[in-house]
Amino acid sequence: MMEEIIIVLTIFSSIFGVFYLHYSTRNKERLALIEKGAEASIFVKGKAEKLTPVWKIFILNLSLLLIGIGLAIFIASAMVLSFGLDAEVAYPGTIFLMAGIGLLTGFFMTKKIDSEKIA
């Protein structure tokens, strides 16, 4: 029982440490830039230049991932029934392959959407 508590505490403290370092370092960098006379507009520049909303990209990638997984299960079942492959090999192999192909397709579609907004 004690090991599980230690593992959970380690995970949460690691996550907290990463976020703390990120925000404290970002704050120190911004203060140093302000002391040197940099404009404050550079801190919000990245947010204004976002081309596609994040939720659209997330939904696109999630939908392509789920389509890939569903297609993989269908292909794996056809391979098991038609070719007599082991189900323990066919299902995970095709699921990982098609999920990867779905995410790669989502990456290229997102890249294409962003390049069309620029032009």
Side-chain angles (χ1 to χ4, degrees):
M1 180 66 182
M2 190 62 171
E3 293 85 13
E4 292 89 2
I5 295 173
I6 292 173
I7 290 171
V8 171
L9 286 175
T10 303
I11 290 171
F12 282 118
S13 63
S14 298
I15 292 170
F16 172 77
V18 167
F19 280 108
Y20 177 77
L21 280 174
H22 172 72
Y23 286 116
S24 66
T25 305
R26 187 176 74 170
N27 186 32
K28 289 177 186 176
E29 288 175 350
R30 288 182 176 188
L31 287 174
L33 284 172
I34 290 171
E35 285 177 1
K36 290 184 178 183
E39 290 184 28
S41 64
I42 62 171
F43 301 129
V44 293
K45 191 180 209 181
K47 293 179 184 176
E49 291 182 2
K50 278 196 176 176
L51 301 173
T52 307
V54 175
W55 66 271
K56 286 184 181 180
I57 295 171
F58 178 74
I59 289 176
L60 174 69
N61 284 325
L62 182 65
S63 64
L64 287 170
L65 175 67
L66 294 176
I67 289 170
I69 290 172
L71 189 62
I73 293 172
F74 178 72
I75 291 171
S77 65
M79 286 172 33
V80 167
L81 294 175
S82 299
F83 304 121
L85 294 174
D86 289 332
E88 294 86 19
V89 175
Y91 281 101
T94 54
I95 286 173
F96 283 122
L97 176 69
M98 295 303 290
I101 290 172
L103 288 174
L104 187 65
T105 305
F107 170 74
F108 286 121
M109 288 177 74
T110 303
K111 203 165 125 177
K112 183 179 176 185
I113 289 170
D114 283 343
S115 68
E116 286 176 356
K117 284 197 170 192
I118 291 173

